[in-house]
Amino acid sequence: AMRELREKSCKKREIFKYSNTRKAAICAEHVFDFSLGNPSIPAPKVFTDKLLSLIESMSPEALHGYTSGPGDMEVRKKISDYMNKKYGINSVPELIYMTCGAAASLTVSLTALVKEGDEVITLAPFFPEYTVFVEKTGAKLKPVMVRTSDFQLDTEAFRASVNENTKAVIINSPNNPTGAVLNEESVKALASVLKEKEEEFGHPIYILSDEPYRELVYDTEAPFIMNYYDDTVVLYSFSKSLSVPGERIGYIMVSPKIKEAKDLFFAVCGAGRALGYVCAPALFQYAVSDCLGVTSDISVYKKNRDLLTSALTEYGYEVVKPDGAFYLFVKALEDDAEQFCETAKKYELLLVPSNSFGCTGFVRISYCVSTEQIEKSLPSFRKLKEEYDGR
């Protein structure tokens, strides 16, 4: 089964390989690769300064030694204090578990919470690895499509999907692949439905709030889910906010409002141990603890979003302007998104079809690239639209 999983190619990675081949053939500046969500802006200076300071000031035993399994307590306390101040919650460090990024946060939390026969709902479009993470536990992933007009919650579709087997709901706001931020109306509706269903079925239904893009918002704020729904587990990664995806550092935060919060946290610890995810990288635990709330210069992403959204709308593409992350979800110019992406390659535009994100008819454009690449790509987007207009 694991070999089959390895052999089942990820569409984004296929495009990345193709991109490297084309760059070698025709020069990189003529290939417009919008496939990967790999931050292009550097980590903030405070982060690199902190790393250097740690390396110079700490003893090797302390710097590179093990922390406790759930993470260094002082780091967890700093995170708890910051979150309490920012969001007005009452988190405690004893309910925070440091992880190797958001993927570890998800796999550990799912292993702690769900078992064979359970169902986990997620709002589609969704990050494709959710399927892998959920199915590994023996549970079933159940996507529920949002409204494609604005990528907000379709309340009735969501309500109809919740049943006695529903154990958890994964939400991702700001969202990969749409860039949408669930607004307060959507969050309140989602929380209301789940409270109603918890009462009806007599067991908790947990929200797993996947938040690697939490700080990457433009002209708005993402509602903090724990303030709207008690049975919430927050899954965070510093990868996108600090532009350090390769360092693999994040955390799980169990809401203190969960009735059996301590037991759930112990289950998280047990799952982390079973999966081999104990003691997240010590150096990066220490480094991020002094960078809470800090981001890379996301004004570059905002500029890219505005430039791309404005141009594509002018050319006649259907675009919902995203409020966060660094993705644009655009209606393909034909029903078959994969074929549309193949046609786009004629103009050296490398886009990701929506099929792997749990819906059809769209493409994802990652605009965490240089502004220069976007500017150079615009004539190609125009030519692509003109080809379809001429058919």
Side-chain angles (χ1 to χ4, degrees):
M2 294 299 106
R3 189 178 72 183
E4 286 174 13
L5 186 59
R6 167 63 183 85
E7 290 173 351
K8 187 188 281 186
S9 289
C10 169
K11 180 59 71 174
K12 298 190 296 294
R13 300 295 166 184
E14 281 180 25
I15 297 168
F16 183 63
K17 280 190 231 173
Y18 175 85
S19 170
N20 287 337
T21 302
R22 290 300 293 157
K23 286 175 181 176
I26 66 167
C27 184
E29 67 180 72
H30 301 306
V31 178
F32 309 119
D33 187 351
F34 295 100
S35 63
L36 290 184
N38 205 21
S40 60
I41 53 181
K45 187 174 184 297
V46 64
F47 177 78
T48 50
D49 286 349
K50 178 66 176 178
L51 280 178
L52 291 170
S53 170
L54 287 167
I55 291 167
E56 290 169 357
S57 64
M58 290 183 75
S59 70
E61 295 86 358
L63 184 65
H64 299 299
Y66 292 119
T67 66
S68 68
D72 179 81
M73 182 52 80
E74 186 59 32
V75 171
R76 291 153 67 196
K77 186 177 187 311
K78 286 183 179 180
I79 292 171
S80 178
D81 289 346
Y82 168 77
M83 295 296 283
N84 291 343
K85 184 177 179 181
K86 182 167 177 63
Y87 295 109
I89 57 175
N90 295 306
S91 74
V92 292
E94 291 81 8
L95 295 178
I96 293 174
Y97 189 97
M98 302 303 295
T99 64
C100 299
S105 296
L106 277 157
T107 52
V108 169
S109 298
L110 286 165
T111 302
L113 279 172
V114 304
K115 62 184 186 309
E116 191 165 352
D118 289 339
E119 291 184 0
V120 177
I121 293 171
T122 193
L123 302 182
F126 62 92
F127 179 55
E129 296 300 280
Y130 290 170
T131 303
V132 179
F133 298 157
V134 170
E135 289 181 353
K136 176 65 177 64
T137 68
K140 178 184 176 184
L141 186 68
K142 192 173 182 181
V144 177
M145 194 67 194
V146 296
R147 300 190 304 248
T148 54
S149 58
D150 58 2
F151 302 126
Q152 294 298 319
L153 183 74
D154 183 332
T155 306
E156 291 316 306
F158 179 69
R159 177 180 280 108
S161 72
V162 183
N163 62 46
E164 62 274 12
N165 295 320
T166 305
K167 190 65 180 285
V169 178
I170 301 174
I171 63 172
N172 174 217
S173 174
N175 178 263
N176 174 11
T178 65
V181 174
L182 282 180
N183 60 29
E184 190 172 50
E185 181 185 353
S186 287
V187 171
K188 284 181 174 178
L190 187 142
S192 176
V193 169
L194 290 183
K195 286 173 189 172
E196 167 195 318
K197 294 298 182 179
E198 282 189 325
E199 208 168 296
E200 180 181 344
F201 300 128
H203 66 75
I205 301 172
Y206 298 98
I207 287 180
L208 300 181
S209 186
D210 182 22
E211 303 182 1
Y213 302 97
R214 184 168 66 214
E215 288 88 4
L216 272 61
V217 289
Y218 317 105
D219 312 317
T220 188
E221 280 215 10
F224 189 62
I225 307 301
M226 206 178 274
N227 281 327
Y228 296 85
Y229 188 70
D230 289 353
D231 290 332
T232 295
V233 180
V234 167
L235 317 173
Y236 185 75
S237 167
F238 293 90
S239 293
K240 313 300 183 180
S241 59
L242 294 178
S243 293
V244 290
E247 312 308 352
R248 314 312 300 142
I249 189 70
Y251 60 80
I252 297 167
M253 177 183 284
V254 175
S255 172
K257 293 181 181 178
I258 292 173
K259 284 182 182 174
E260 298 177 347
K262 194 171 286 187
D263 286 344
L264 177 50
F265 183 76
F266 289 157
V268 164
C269 294
R273 181 183 176 191
L275 293 168
Y277 280 134
V278 292
C279 181
L283 173 59
F284 292 103
Q285 287 190 50
Y286 304 139
V288 298
S289 70
D290 281 352
C291 301
L292 302 170
V294 175
T295 68
S296 301
D297 182 9
I298 63 172
S299 67
V300 178
Y301 296 148
K302 185 176 187 292
K303 181 179 180 181
N304 289 355
R305 177 201 66 163
D306 293 345
L307 176 61
L308 201 49
T309 302
S310 175
L312 294 187
T313 302
E314 179 191 331
Y315 302 159
Y317 290 89
E318 287 184 41
V319 183
V320 177
K321 191 174 185 178
D323 289 321
F326 38 56
Y327 305 109
L328 207 59
F329 211 53
V330 179
K331 194 88 173 70
L333 299 177
E334 60 177 291
D335 293 338
D336 187 340
E338 294 203 0
Q339 183 53 54
F340 174 68
C341 288
E342 286 302 310
T343 303
K345 285 180 181 177
K346 286 165 45 177
Y347 303 96
E348 305 301 342
L349 293 167
L350 306 184
L351 319 174
V352 182
S354 61
N355 305 54
S356 60
F357 298 112
C359 69
T360 58
F362 290 83
V363 294
R364 189 190 77 171
I365 300 173
S366 296
Y367 56 82
C368 53
V369 298
S370 69
T371 303
E372 182 184 18
Q373 176 178 318
I374 291 176
E375 289 168 342
K376 287 183 175 179
S377 73
L378 296 182
S380 292
F381 278 110
R382 186 192 289 273
K383 287 173 187 172
L384 178 61
K385 180 66 167 66
E386 288 171 349
E387 175 177 333
Y388 276 88
D389 288 345
R391 289 187 179 186

